[in-house]
């Protein structure tokens, strides 16, 4: 986690056991010098983690790990792969560029406390509710999400889904992991509805801890959260590419 520069708690052995079938390891002789972890969502592959031992960087291990994932994903019939990278991570950006990835969207990891959320202006009279799994296709379509990804997030322990409805129309959606606590995705059809979506999350979290919120392709929402006092943890790109033989 420190090598990836993320605040996530270091996963326990149970989490590593769940990851294991989708982990590839680069070796120099008997010595492990890097690993990558990927996940499959329908025809989409998410390269979630990629780390090479600092002492072994620049020797092709990162490239080899990506190529192994490519081969496995192609064999599984996948057609697209994507990942998130910090905008200042030049070695990773260079490696991904060489591998064929292109910028798909902008994302921000923000931290915001409940006192700041209390200062957010809200508008409209959206109603919050717990979406039924049968609605996930519609949610995915409305907010440009991969439906299989939503199903996978729902299947994880502790996850809470909340949605907003305005009149009869879907107006917001968030998936909360209260243990971190992190919200990803967090989507609203307009900035003024963010307050209502946070309010829907409020009963599910420890109000003393700041929320980590991942915002994608929504600069006005980022600006509103920053104006309310949120802090940027990371600026990210989502990179993506069709999966083809290299
Ligand atoms: C990003 C990372 C996985 C790259 O691993 P790596 O084994 O060094 O990568 P490779 O040796 O396969 O290098 C691939 C390309 O990147 C280049 N590269 C590697 N390290 C570099 C550096 N420090 N600066 C600039 N370019 C670099 C290589 O020259 C190579 O380019 P080439 O194709 O022109 O030869 C590694 O730097 C790392 O573990 N970083 C910390 C964790 C991290 O940031 N992970 C990615 C999160 S999105």
């Amino acid at each position: 986690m420190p090598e990836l520069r993320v605040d996530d708690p270091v996963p326990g052995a149970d989490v590593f056991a769940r990851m294991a079938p989708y982990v590839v390891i680069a070796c120099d002789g008997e010595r492990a010098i890097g690993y990558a972890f990927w996940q499959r969502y329908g025809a989409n592959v998410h390269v979630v983690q990629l780390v090479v031992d600092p002492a072994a960087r620049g020797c092709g291990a990162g490239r080899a790990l990506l190529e192994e994932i490519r081969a496995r994903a192609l064999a599984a019939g996948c057609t697209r792969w994507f990942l998130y990278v910090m905008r200042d991570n030049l070695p990773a950006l260079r490696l991904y560029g060489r591998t064929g990835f292109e910028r798909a969207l902008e994302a921000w990891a923000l931290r915001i406390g409940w006192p700041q959320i209390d200062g957010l202006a809200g508008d409209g009279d959206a109603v919050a509710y717990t979406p039924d799994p049968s609605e996930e296709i519609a949610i995915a379509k409305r907010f440009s999400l991969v439906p299989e990804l939503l199903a996978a997030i729902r299947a994880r322990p502790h996850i809470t889904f909340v949605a907003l409805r305005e009149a009869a129309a879907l107006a917001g959606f968030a998936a909360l992991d209260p243990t971190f606590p992190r919200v990803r995705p967090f989507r609203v059809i307009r900035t003024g509805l963010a307050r209502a979506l946070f309010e829907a999350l409020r009963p599910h979290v420890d109000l003393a801890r700041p929320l980590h919120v991942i915002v994608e392709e929504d600069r006005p929402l980022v600006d509103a959260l920053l104006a309310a006092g949120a802090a940027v943890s990371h600026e990210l790109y989502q990179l993506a590419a069709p999966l083809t033989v290299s």
Side-chain angles (χ1 to χ4, degrees), residues 99-212:
T99 313
F101 284 94
E102 288 186 354
R103 196 181 302 175
L105 53 84
E106 289 186 314
W108 295 261
L110 304 171
R111 254 182 352 268
I112 186 164
W114 287 93
Q116 283 90 49
I117 290 171
D118 287 339
L120 269 178
D123 68 31
D125 39 21
V127 177
Y129 67 103
T130 305
D132 188 81
S134 63
E135 252 186 274
E136 278 166 21
I137 301 273
I139 291 172
K141 203 166 165 198
R142 181 67 187 78
F143 294 113
S144 307
L145 299 163
V146 174
E148 291 89 347
L149 173 60
L150 284 189
I153 295 174
R154 177 166 40 82
R156 289 179 196 151
H158 315 299
I159 295 294
T160 299
F161 277 4
V162 295
L164 294 179
R165 204 184 277 130
E166 222 179 19
L170 182 64
F173 172 73
L176 168 73
D177 177 348
T179 57
F180 193 176
R182 174 164 55 201
V183 194
R184 175 183 211 161
F186 184 98
R187 300 286 171 99
V188 280
I189 57 165
R190 64 172 193 282
T191 305
L193 292 174
R195 176 68 190 266
L197 195 54
F198 280 120
E199 291 306 326
L201 298 172
R202 189 189 284 267
H204 304 285
V205 291
D206 173 359
L207 301 181
R209 299 169 69 198
L211 270 184
H212 296 252

